[in-house]
Amino acid sequence: MPWKEGVKVFCQVIVDIVHENVAKPFTYQIPDGMELTAGQRVAVPFGHMEKEGIVTALTPDTDVSPAKLRCVLRPLEEYAAIPPELIGLAEDMALKSHCPLAETLRLMIPAQMRGGRVHVKTEKTVCLCVSSEDAETAAAACTRSLKRSAILNLLKDGQPRTVHEISEHVRDPRDALKKLEADGLVKITDSEKLRMPGGSVPVVSDPGYTLTEGQQEALDEILPALGKGKGMFLLHGVTGSGKTEVFMAAVRNALSSGKSAIILVPEIALTPQMVSWFRGRFGPVAAVIHSRLSAGERYDEWRRIRRGEARVVIGARSAVFSPVKNLGMIVIDEEHESTYLNDRHPRYDTREVAANRCEREGAVLVLASATPSILSFAKARRGDYMLLEMPDRVNERPLPDVEIADMRSELEGGNRSVLSGVLKKALKECCSRGEQAILLMNRRGYNSFVSCRSCGYVVKCPNCDISMTYHIGSRDGLLRCHYCGYTMIPPSECPSCGGHYIRYFGAGTQKVEEEVRKILPGIPTARMDYDTTSGKDGHGKILEEFRSGRARILIGTQMIAKGLDFPQVTLVGVIAADLALNLPDYRSRERAFQLFTQVAGRAGRGSIPGRVIIQTYKPDDPVIGFAARQDYRAFFESEFRRRRNGLYPPFTNLARLLIESPDEENADRKAREAEACVKKLLETHPEWHRKILSVVNEPPSVQLLRGKHRRQVLMKTLVSRETDDFFSALSELTESPTDGADIYLEVNPTTMI
Ligand code: ADP
Ligand code: ZN
């Protein structure tokens, strides 16, 4: 065995297989002459197979007996795919979410780099093999071929050019190039071509604003922290206070001192707008990463970042793992959005991951929102984050006026439309002034349920315990399940009683669009919801249609409420506020307040003041009142008190063991077993038991989903070290095999359906 003092000849490798038994790293020997670093991907022998793995550490010695040691076969790239700092982060995450390290490491490399599918796009590049003078002489001598002479003249500055670039100057240059190559004057090579996504977004050049007082004050706190490489901020600025400008100024500062930045947005829909701002100021140094990019595009952007060519990364939550060099700052814009929680395995909260990463890499964290999450604002009050407040809009623009339309009196007055009289009138006025409007309808489709008038039967999805939504299509209408996508033709008679009184109830975005077109014929509308944005760049196209003014009224689900900046919008309507208020979740008040305040904030961002109309059947609901006054502080105080008194998170943990099985009886049985198991665990651990407030076996609100019967054991616990240990023990329990059922442990999940 080769052995030199201090030389690292062994390495720990996490083999990329997600399985209980391979959660720990394996030791391999590094063969003579092979150089490896931590974070590098390698091919290793594993059983009878060859597997990919990631080197997590190098060591000078090992306890593994020489007979058992096997050698690394080869590195998969020359560079470390995962920077060492990110390995530490992955280790922390694996511990916290109780999952194998291989799973968290996977988050950090693009899918294209696994399973040997890496595809590098190349293009032919031409460079000069002789000096400029010789090229010039040769060009002059090429009297028989104008093309060759033109190419030499083009290349004589010494810059290599792609064949494509050359063909823009010289038509059809291929034969001429071949001849030049044969003469030894130029060399043609395959060079790597990086796909640059977001190339189609219009670039917005720097408007060169002077910062407002509020912006400058916030920046004055962030910049020194950037210099020190330490600090966490919650930037609470009302809608239109110019938060983006603050972090763009901070990014400029970071870049000029050689650092990088990551800017996270809650939805892919918001990346084009952010990319156009950042590309406008910083050029191609801005990269974009999100899951709608093609695998190739993502891989190429990732490599630009890994090599340090791209130093500002804009993306949705997964971009928090971008392998930027010399991280200076992470910004989480609209930090209150629930999309920052990854509910799929491995579960993580992007805000926590970002905080951890910033601490490890000496970077600054900025969380920004007009409506911070209760959790983050509470942390800021406790001093975990420094609170930066911008209470005013830029240029002394007023916040929009919010009115409440009482839909009960509309109904009494005989108006059965989804639009109240006041909103109809406002829409007409807005359009006649040539301005734009946004209507929020937080449900897609045409009608939300179909039911029999005689017997009350509601058409439900056969796979889910959910009513089917009616969608109008290009030809016929279809009923669609919003959970599993199942579709069916609407029944003409009741499947239960055979009656003919099948009726359609409840409105969605399609219905709202139809009503708007009825009252405003000829006014072009655009609809933005899950159905209209599924194609590549679906969001971008609709937003561009609206921005350009080709569409005058934008109707959509909550995806239109956040972050968008359209100066021509002077009217915002919230069609059915009660949808958000009535959700069976302890967070529904928080989410409703955020949604209303955010969507209201889309109005009056230009020079003309905005107006907002909230339609509701509960005009006296305090949440509607807080949103109408856009009073975040008052809302926070009331909600914080309510959570403390009702023992809701962040004062407690809400957790559950979720059981899913295709067989209903099995699901029932497993739920009873799980409950018994929890109780037994608590009996044997009184120190845990003291921290548990309740354990109940109670079916979830949706008992059938995607063909699986669901049951749950709900647990409410205090927040403490002991409860963490309790959850760890429980999670081990869920990993043991169960016949015919899946059991998941969810601690404070984003939805509790
Ligand atoms: P927020 O994210 O806080 O809602 P934005 O960052 O979108 O607000 O800014 C609102 C609008 O004000 C944008 O159109 C932006 O270009 C403009 N703006 C921002 N800062 C300034 C400034 N200092 N002077 C003039 N306009 C500004
Ligand atoms: Zn379904």
Side-chain angles (χ1 to χ4, degrees):
M1 194 187 305
W3 176 253
K4 272 180 262 154
E5 198 63 42
V7 174
K8 297 183 171 170
V9 287
F10 304 100
C11 60
Q12 305 288 312
V13 175
I14 287 283
V15 182
D16 189 15
I17 307 173
V18 175
H19 187 277
E20 222 25 49
N21 303 323
V22 287
K24 59 177 187 349
F26 289 87
T27 304
Y28 285 88
Q29 190 176 331
I30 304 173
D32 243 353
M34 188 188 290
E35 302 247 342
L36 287 180
T37 61
Q40 217 163 341
R41 297 193 320 133
V42 287
V44 289
F46 192 78
H48 298 297
M49 293 172 294
E50 180 182 321
K51 287 275 169 199
E52 290 179 7
I54 290 165
V55 177
T56 53
L58 301 167
T59 50
D61 45 33
T62 177
D63 306 338
V64 182
S65 75
K68 282 194 176 164
L69 264 180
R70 302 175 77 180
C71 273
V72 171
L73 298 173
R74 62 185 175 280
L76 294 174
E77 292 93 16
E78 313 87 86
Y79 59 93
I82 303 186
E85 307 82 48
L86 284 181
I87 295 179
L89 186 70
E91 284 169 345
D92 280 359
M93 288 176 66
L95 265 182
K96 179 129 208 292
S97 53
H98 320 288
C99 73
L101 183 53
E103 272 192 32
T104 52
L105 284 171
R106 268 183 180 197
L107 294 169
M108 299 176 185
I109 41 177
Q112 260 222 338
M113 285 181 88
R114 296 200 315 263
R117 283 173 296 148
V118 175
H119 174 63
V120 175
K121 215 171 167 178
T122 58
E123 63 186 343
K124 298 245 176 270
T125 304
V126 187
C127 62
L128 207 56
C129 302
V130 294
S131 70
S132 311
E133 293 83 46
D134 288 351
E136 210 160 331
T137 324
C142 274
T143 44
R144 276 178 300 127
S145 165
L146 287 176
K147 279 191 188 177
R148 269 181 275 155
S149 138
I151 294 170
L152 287 170
N153 277 323
L154 191 66
L155 292 173
K156 73 183 178 204
D157 62 1
Q159 288 287 331
R161 288 191 174 68
T162 64
V163 172
H164 180 77
E165 282 169 328
I166 292 173
S167 67
E168 283 171 2
H169 299 270
V170 181
R171 267 183 60 195
D172 220 357
R174 269 161 228 281
D175 289 341
L177 282 169
K178 273 195 201 131
K179 184 80 179 49
L180 287 171
E181 191 177 30
D183 291 345
L185 291 167
V186 304
K187 209 166 117 200
I188 306 174
T189 47
D190 277 323
S191 71
E192 180 185 78
K193 178 181 161 69
L194 294 174
R195 287 149 278 211
M196 263 256 265
S200 60
V201 298
V203 167
V204 177
S205 53
D206 188 349
Y209 295 134
T210 331
L211 293 187
T212 64
E213 211 173 296
Q215 288 171 324
Q216 191 60 52
E217 279 171 16
L219 192 63
D220 286 346
E221 298 289 348
I222 297 173
L223 293 188
L226 259 177
K228 276 189 283 185
K230 191 172 175 353
M232 301 204 194
F233 299 93
L234 176 62
L235 176 58
H236 173 217
V238 296
T239 55
S241 57
K243 295 181 285 293
T244 322
E245 208 61 40
V246 173
F247 51 76
M248 282 200 280
V251 167
R252 182 179 300 286
N253 184 285
L255 285 178
S256 69
S257 52
K259 294 182 177 176
S260 306
I262 298 174
I263 315 295
L264 300 178
V265 292
E267 296 228 1
I268 295 170
L270 292 173
T271 53
Q273 177 173 288
M274 201 60 94
V275 169
S276 63
W277 287 335
F278 275 84
R279 286 251 168 92
R281 299 195 191 192
F282 308 115
V285 76
V288 54
I289 290 270
H290 57 69
S291 59
R292 284 265 175 94
L293 300 182
S294 71
E297 286 174 332
R298 227 180 314 169
Y299 175 50
D300 285 357
E301 284 293 72
W302 185 88
R303 281 182 303 154
R304 284 207 310 130
I305 298 164
R306 184 73 191 94
R307 292 177 192 156
E309 291 165 22
R311 292 197 293 139
V312 184
V313 182
I314 295 154
R317 63 172 179 246
S318 62
V320 74
F321 303 114
S322 304
V324 295
K325 289 205 165 121
N326 203 3
L327 180 68
M329 176 167 73
I330 299 180
V331 175
I332 303 188
D333 197 16
E334 314 288 351
E335 70 84 28
H336 60 277
E337 290 290 346
S338 56
T339 46
Y340 286 121
L341 290 163
N342 184 41
D343 251 353
R344 270 170 302 167
H345 214 65
R347 290 170 49 88
Y348 63 87
D349 179 342
T350 313
R351 292 160 297 194
E352 270 173 31
V353 173
N356 184 335
R357 187 165 179 195
C358 284
E359 238 164 300
R360 288 174 169 278
E361 301 183 36
V364 168
L365 176 66
V366 179
L367 306 175
S369 176
T371 52
S373 60
I374 296 290
L375 208 72
S376 295
F377 202 82
K379 280 189 181 173
R381 274 218 316 202
R382 207 168 64 193
D384 295 0
Y385 306 140
M386 179 171 181
L387 184 63
L388 306 172
E389 297 206 88
M390 300 203 295
D392 302 309
R393 282 188 157 184
V394 292
N395 293 339
E396 291 162 12
R397 278 172 204 150
L399 279 168
D401 272 330
V402 183
E403 296 154 55
I404 297 169
D406 184 348
M407 295 308 276
R408 292 171 310 185
S409 48
E410 291 283 329
L411 201 58
E412 278 162 25
N415 178 12
R416 310 190 58 138
S417 152
V418 290
L419 305 174
S420 58
V422 54
L423 183 54
K424 280 184 192 166
K425 186 159 169 278
L427 272 171
K428 285 182 186 158
E429 287 167 3
C430 170
C431 288
S432 68
R433 288 192 305 263
E435 295 157 12
Q436 289 184 305
I438 287 181
L439 299 178
L440 171 76
M441 177 68 202
N442 211 7
R443 188 158 58 190
R444 64 197 166 92
Y446 191 88
N447 290 114
S448 55
F449 66 102
V450 177
S451 150
C452 170
R453 264 272 158 107
S454 327
C455 74
Y457 174 86
V458 173
V459 184
K460 285 193 173 180
C461 172
N463 310 317
C464 310
D465 180 23
I466 301 281
S467 55
M468 296 288 280
T469 305
Y470 180 67
H471 286 248
I472 44 178
S474 47
R475 270 173 282 133
D476 296 311
L478 271 184
L479 296 181
R480 196 180 291 275
C481 171
H482 283 184
Y483 285 80
C484 73
Y486 180 86
T487 55
M488 61 164 109
I489 296 168
S492 51
E493 54 189 55
C494 176
S496 170
C497 73
H500 291 277
Y501 297 100
I502 296 284
R503 294 289 179 269
Y504 294 66
F505 301 93
T509 45
Q510 288 187 324
K511 171 114 179 202
V512 174
E513 185 171 38
E514 190 184 271
E515 297 241 344
V516 168
R517 287 182 173 171
K518 252 189 243 162
I519 61 159
L520 288 164
I523 296 286
T525 59
R527 178 162 59 87
M528 187 155 131
D529 56 26
Y530 178 83
D531 300 317
T532 60
T533 52
S534 50
K536 194 171 151 69
D537 202 29
H539 294 103
K541 282 183 199 138
I542 296 171
L543 293 178
E544 195 38 44
E545 203 182 323
F546 192 55
R547 185 179 306 282
S548 68
R550 269 177 284 134
R552 301 274 293 286
I553 299 174
L554 178 66
I555 297 146
T557 53
Q558 91 281 345
M559 59 173 80
I560 61 171
K562 42 196 80 158
L564 298 170
D565 186 34
F566 297 110
Q568 293 305 313
V569 173
T570 57
L571 175 66
V572 163
V574 177
I575 304 297
D578 310 274
L579 277 182
L581 282 172
N582 292 342
L583 291 176
D585 191 305
Y586 72 92
R587 286 156 298 200
S588 63
R589 288 162 52 93
E590 177 177 2
R591 292 192 180 145
F593 174 81
Q594 287 162 346
L595 184 61
F596 304 156
T597 313
Q598 291 288 345
V599 74
R602 301 310 113 206
R605 294 168 77 88
S607 47
I608 317 160
R611 183 175 176 198
V612 179
I613 296 168
I614 299 181
Q615 302 190 155
T616 175
Y617 286 93
K618 289 177 170 176
D620 303 325
D621 192 299
V623 174
I624 301 263
F626 294 130
R629 292 190 297 280
Q630 298 169 74
D631 189 346
Y632 177 80
R633 277 293 180 130
F635 168 73
F636 173 83
E637 296 302 342
S638 124
E639 184 59 13
F640 194 72
R641 222 176 308 122
R642 196 186 67 91
R643 300 251 182 117
R644 192 173 48 209
N645 296 342
L647 290 174
Y648 288 109
F651 300 97
T652 57
N653 290 307
L654 274 188
R656 68 173 172 185
L657 283 168
L658 180 67
I659 292 112
E660 294 190 342
S661 168
D663 180 67
E664 186 162 10
E665 273 175 38
N666 192 23
D668 274 330
R669 190 168 50 245
K670 288 286 164 358
R672 284 194 301 272
E673 285 171 16
E675 185 190 10
C677 204
V678 170
K679 296 209 160 139
K680 192 150 161 246
L681 200 60
L682 294 179
E683 268 166 36
T684 48
H685 291 273
E687 75 283 11
W688 296 348
H689 202 171
R690 277 193 289 277
K691 307 287 177 183
I692 311 296
L693 299 170
S694 63
V695 177
V696 282
N697 179 2
E698 166 192 294
S701 55
V702 178
Q703 294 182 33
L704 179 70
L705 194 64
R706 297 180 191 98
K708 291 197 174 147
H709 294 272
R710 309 165 81 234
R711 296 293 181 270
Q712 67 182 9
V713 178
L714 266 181
M715 293 162 283
K716 200 181 225 186
T717 79
L718 296 176
V719 180
S720 74
R721 250 238 63 77
E722 288 84 357
T723 35
D724 283 347
D725 295 343
F726 166 64
F727 289 138
S728 293
L730 266 189
S731 87
E732 268 165 41
L733 212 141
T734 62
E735 275 155 14
S736 52
T738 49
D739 57 308
D742 291 316
I743 302 189
Y744 308 96
L745 172 66
E746 299 183 339
V747 182
N748 300 321
T750 39
T751 65
M752 275 283 207
I753 60 158

